[in-house]
Amino acid sequence: MKSFLYFVNSKLPYDSIAIGKFDAMHDAHIKLLELIGDNGLALSIAQIKPPFITPPQEREKYTNIPCYRLRFDVIKSYSPLEFLKLILFVLPNLKRIVVGYDFCFGKNRASSASDIKPLLVNIGKPQIEVIILESQKCNNMPIHTSIIKELIKYGDIASANSMLCRFYSIKGLVITGQGIGAKQLYPTINIATTLYLLPKYGVYAGLCHIHGRTYKSAIFIGNRLSTDRKFCIECHIIEDISIKVLKGEQISISLIDRIRNNQKFEKLEDLKVQISKDIAQIQVLLEDAENQKYRD
């Protein structure tokens, strides 16, 4: 994302803005962005510190709206009026502001969404429209990034996906694994990442995205209890196809559902039997997942 403050001197031509954290790009965020209009931008105000559900550089992937960032630590001491004046200074043609019902701004969260219009009137900008999106729910539960984080940590990926309105995805670099999988178990692709919030350890039904193609996969996240006990993210491509990926390449995985906890097996033969059962269960789950209509 581009820095909003980079354009303090040159100004930006947009006439509408949606302001929020946009730290997950979940369903409520997308609905907020749909209210912007044809000539607007999204301003993400957040602390830039991993792990993320959706890293800053990934957020424009889920919208056609241009996204800009404004670091929270830069404006945390601003009064509500100073904050609005900054927005108006960079966007001199502003006609519309869109925020969520729980939006707060100014030092110590001094003002709320309902304060925006009176403040605009006080500074001589009553013509600027203010749209406040009401609370959005999924299965009678409010859609919030904090709730999605807890669902991911708990391993309830299916519920997290419903709130995101997409499959939760993790991108990482291909690394060298133990080499045991291809020889004695099932071949896997190992990836490493430090950017994303990792789910509860276990085995997941998922998809692996490589070289522009998508493959049904069995995904393991956790410590290899049956071998070296080291942490790993391993992806086994279920389809009978030879996938060539090189160390250092970037790929992504999407998590569909969690099927079991991490377990320790005394013999690799027992582990292989369990993996075969996992694959059979995952194939059924992935067939059902193909019927889910998510945004991406």
Side-chain angles (χ1 to χ4, degrees):
M1 286 193 295
K2 300 169 284 291
S3 170
F4 188 73
L5 291 181
Y6 178 82
F7 298 92
V8 166
N9 294 323
S10 57
K11 311 298 172 55
L12 287 168
Y14 304 101
D15 61 16
S16 60
I17 184 173
I19 310 173
K21 290 184 178 180
F22 301 112
D23 46 356
M25 293 302 282
H26 51 55
D27 193 36
H29 287 150
I30 300 302
K31 288 177 178 175
L32 188 73
L33 295 176
E34 290 172 350
L35 298 173
I36 288 180
D38 297 329
N39 185 34
L41 66 86
L43 181 61
S44 174
I45 302 175
Q47 297 179 352
I48 310 300
K49 184 179 180 181
F52 302 105
I53 293 177
T54 309
Q57 63 270 26
E58 292 287 313
R59 292 172 193 171
E60 284 189 325
K61 174 182 176 181
Y62 302 107
T63 178
N64 294 322
I65 304 297
C67 298
Y68 291 77
R69 70 177 186 274
L70 181 56
R71 292 177 64 99
F72 173 74
D73 57 350
V74 173
I75 50 98
K76 65 180 181 180
S77 63
Y78 280 33
S79 70
L81 194 58
E82 288 172 331
F83 173 74
L84 285 179
K85 285 183 176 179
L86 172 64
I87 300 299
L88 293 170
F89 188 75
V90 179
L91 298 168
N93 301 318
L94 191 63
K95 297 178 181 178
R96 176 185 296 171
I97 296 175
V98 182
V99 296
Y101 75 100
D102 57 350
F103 176 72
C104 292
F105 62 107
K107 185 177 180 180
N108 297 323
R109 298 169 59 87
S111 291
S112 63
S114 61
D115 295 318
I116 297 175
K117 190 65 177 181
L119 286 170
L120 290 173
V121 171
N122 288 341
I123 57 178
K125 296 289 184 177
Q127 73 279 11
I128 296 178
E129 180 185 16
V130 178
I131 299 177
I132 301 174
L133 180 70
E134 63 185 12
S135 175
Q136 302 296 301
K137 293 185 178 181
C138 176
N139 298 323
N140 294 318
M141 186 180 295
I143 301 176
H144 283 294
T145 299
S146 59
I147 294 176
I148 297 173
K149 284 182 176 179
E150 290 305 310
L151 290 170
I152 292 172
K153 290 177 182 178
Y154 185 72
D156 189 354
I157 289 296
S159 294
N161 288 341
S162 294
M163 287 197 174
L164 288 169
C165 208
R166 58 184 169 87
F167 297 131
Y168 182 51
S169 297
I170 296 171
K171 184 180 290 185
L173 296 177
V174 175
I175 60 173
T176 302
Q178 284 183 292
I180 292 178
K183 296 177 181 178
Q184 302 182 57
L185 299 169
Y186 288 86
T188 61
I189 300 169
N190 291 255
I191 68 172
T193 183
T194 57
L195 283 179
Y196 295 84
L197 179 68
L198 297 180
K200 183 178 181 180
Y201 292 176
V203 178
Y204 291 82
L207 303 171
C208 186
H209 312 282
I210 306 173
H211 303 152
R213 296 187 63 184
T214 298
Y215 304 95
K216 295 177 181 179
S217 304
I219 297 168
F220 171 75
I221 299 175
N223 294 84
R224 293 182 288 235
L225 299 179
S226 302
T227 54
D228 63 359
R229 305 187 70 84
K230 291 184 178 179
F231 174 79
C232 67
I233 302 175
E234 294 183 328
C235 177
H236 167 67
I237 306 296
I238 292 176
E239 290 134 313
D240 185 16
I241 188 169
S242 178
I243 307 297
K244 298 294 184 182
V245 290
L246 302 176
K247 181 180 179 180
E249 280 193 76
Q250 192 172 69
I251 67 172
S252 66
I253 55 174
S254 295
L255 304 178
I256 310 301
D257 209 346
R258 185 174 187 272
I259 66 167
R260 69 171 173 89
N261 288 326
N262 192 4
Q263 295 174 246
K264 175 176 170 51
F265 295 86
E266 297 301 329
K267 298 178 180 179
L268 289 181
E269 291 85 353
D270 295 336
L271 174 57
K272 187 171 184 178
V273 170
Q274 180 59 55
I275 294 174
S276 67
K277 293 178 181 178
D278 295 341
I279 291 172
Q281 182 179 351
I282 286 170
Q283 285 177 314
V284 174
L285 285 170
L286 291 179
E287 287 177 4
D288 293 338
E290 288 180 344
N291 298 320
Q292 296 186 44
K293 303 298 182 183
Y294 286 143
R295 281 195 166 89
D296 58 336

